[in-house]
């Protein structure tokens, strides 16, 4: 996997991204094609079929999490050891979505867009969540221009959602922990 890490600031919060190779995304899509009929829509916030919390059982997901812990996350925060606590694959169909939520008990989270034809991922401005600042003003959220292979890293406390999908969408979500962070 190559590593060209991009950084943008939202609200201001540093969010990082890179692009994963097509063959890696294709391998994830193949997992979904083979297993989606055995999956449920049973995660709290995700209203789409998922692999469940144990996505690290898939070798390609484990490989991506190891790469993230050894190569990507130390470039974001270099102190301490990074560990992937959990990962899961999401399979969205038309009309599926995810409620606004965060992963506040973790350190960093990531989402890999393996397949998409829609722009559904939104990072929510915390001012809207907590009614901060001018209550008459709606603060700008950040809607992501999704593309296959886009791998986004963000602080786990950052609220995000997935708007209703207009087409098939496959993602992998990761939660990372670093006790020194």
């Amino acid at each position: 996997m190559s590593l060209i890490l991009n950084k943008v600031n939202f609200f201001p919060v540093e969010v990082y991204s890179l692009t994963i190779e097509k063959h890696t995304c294709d391998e994830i899509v193949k997992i979904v094609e083979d297993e989606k009929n055995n999956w449920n829509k049973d995660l709290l916030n995700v209203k789409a079929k998922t692999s469940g919390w144990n996505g690290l059982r898939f070798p390609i997901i484990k490989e991506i999490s190891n790469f993230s812990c050894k190569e990507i996350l130390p470039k974001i925060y270099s102190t301490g050891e990074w560990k992937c606590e959990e990962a899961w694959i999401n399979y969205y169909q038309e009309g599926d979505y995810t409620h606004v939520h965060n992963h506040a008990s973790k350190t960093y989270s990531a989402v890999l867009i393996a397949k998409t034809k829609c722009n559904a991922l939104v990072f929510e401005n915390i001012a809207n969540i907590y009614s901060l600042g001018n209550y008459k003003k709606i603060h700008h959220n950040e809607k992501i221009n999704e593309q296959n292979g886009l791998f986004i890293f963000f602080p786990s406390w950052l609220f995000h959602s997935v708007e209703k999908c207009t087409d098939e969408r496959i993602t992998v979500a990761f939660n990372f922990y670093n006790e020194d962070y």
Side-chain angles (χ1 to χ4, degrees), residues 3 17 26 51 53 69 82 88 95 110 155 158:
L3 179 59
S17 68
D26 291 344
S51 64
W53 299 112
C69 290
W82 287 96
W88 60 99
L158 184 59

Side-chain angles (χ1 to χ4, degrees), residues 54-93:
N54 60 346
L56 292 171
R57 72 182 183 275
F58 301 108
I60 189 65
I61 305 304
K62 184 70 172 171
E63 180 184 333
I64 294 166
S65 74
N66 289 341
F67 176 75
S68 299
C69 290
K70 291 178 182 155
E71 301 295 331
I72 299 169
L73 289 160
K75 293 185 182 321
I76 296 171
Y77 186 80
S78 61
T79 303
E81 181 181 352
W82 287 96
K83 296 177 184 171
C84 184
E85 292 197 328
E86 59 213 1
W88 60 99
I89 303 172
N90 301 302
Y91 172 60
Y92 294 87
Q93 297 170 296

Side-chain angles (χ1 to χ4, degrees), residues 86-90 103 110-112 171-175:
E86 59 213 1
W88 60 99
I89 303 172
N90 301 302
H103 305 246
V111 61
L112 169 58
T171 65
V172 184
F174 298 86
N175 280 329

Side-chain angles (χ1 to χ4, degrees), residues 69-144:
C69 290
K70 291 178 182 155
E71 301 295 331
I72 299 169
L73 289 160
K75 293 185 182 321
I76 296 171
Y77 186 80
S78 61
T79 303
E81 181 181 352
W82 287 96
K83 296 177 184 171
C84 184
E85 292 197 328
E86 59 213 1
W88 60 99
I89 303 172
N90 301 302
Y91 172 60
Y92 294 87
Q93 297 170 296
E94 185 177 348
D96 290 346
Y97 63 97
T98 298
H99 292 292
V100 174
H101 68 287
N102 67 14
H103 305 246
S105 65
K106 311 303 178 192
T107 307
Y108 247 77
S109 295
V111 61
L112 169 58
I113 313 292
K115 181 179 180 182
T116 188
K117 291 183 182 174
C118 54
N119 292 317
L121 178 61
V122 178
F123 287 103
E124 306 286 337
N125 190 317
I126 198 166
N128 293 332
I129 301 291
Y130 293 113
S131 301
L132 301 173
N134 183 344
Y135 67 92
K136 294 180 182 177
K137 178 180 177 185
I138 299 296
H139 299 274
H140 179 70
N141 292 328
E142 291 291 338
K143 189 168 185 177
I144 301 303

Side-chain angles (χ1 to χ4, degrees), residues 11-65:
F11 325 126
V13 176
E14 292 179 346
V15 175
Y16 298 84
S17 68
L18 62 128
T19 302
I20 297 293
E21 295 93 355
K22 181 183 182 313
H23 69 87
T24 301
C25 294
D26 291 344
E27 194 169 336
I28 294 165
V29 170
K30 177 78 169 103
I31 291 169
V32 173
E33 289 170 354
D34 292 346
E35 299 210 9
K36 67 185 177 189
N37 292 330
N38 299 321
W39 294 355
N40 296 311
K41 294 183 178 185
D42 59 359
L43 294 185
L44 180 63
N45 295 304
V46 180
K47 303 308 174 195
K49 288 186 172 186
T50 75
S51 64
W53 299 112
N54 60 346
L56 292 171
R57 72 182 183 275
F58 301 108
I60 189 65
I61 305 304
K62 184 70 172 171
E63 180 184 333
I64 294 166
S65 74

